Amino acid sequence: MALDTQKEMIVFLIDLHVHTMSSAHAYSSVYENIMIAKQKKLKLIAITDHGPKLDDSPHR
């Protein structure tokens, strides 16, 4: 019995570093980021806004 060694690769386009206007150096809303991701056919985005300890944080 021969083993099938051929594997199928599945590729997803993703962006794991997206900021919204909650970070001082970004200009897009969550909605705008989602719409751009859809246009680019991304399967996943990660919103990585700055946390409370950073100078440009919206949480101060």
Side-chain angles (χ1 to χ4, degrees):
M1 174 157 96
L3 293 175
D4 183 8
T5 58
Q6 193 172 22
K7 304 238 185 235
E8 183 177 329
M9 184 185 304
I10 299 172
V11 177
F12 294 105
L13 297 176
I14 63 174
D15 187 342
L16 297 179
H17 193 111
V18 176
H19 291 292
T20 69
M21 58 186 130
S22 292
S23 293
H25 62 278
Y27 305 99
S28 300
S29 67
V30 172
Y31 178 79
E32 289 167 329
N33 279 317
I34 291 169
M35 292 297 106
I36 291 166
K38 283 184 165 193
Q39 289 173 1
K40 293 181 176 183
K41 300 194 183 322
L42 299 180
K43 294 291 184 185
L44 177 94
I45 62 171
I47 296 174
T48 55
D49 285 328
H50 294 178
K53 298 278 185 184
L54 295 174
D55 290 337
D56 68 343
S57 170
H59 308 287
R60 291 188 150 228

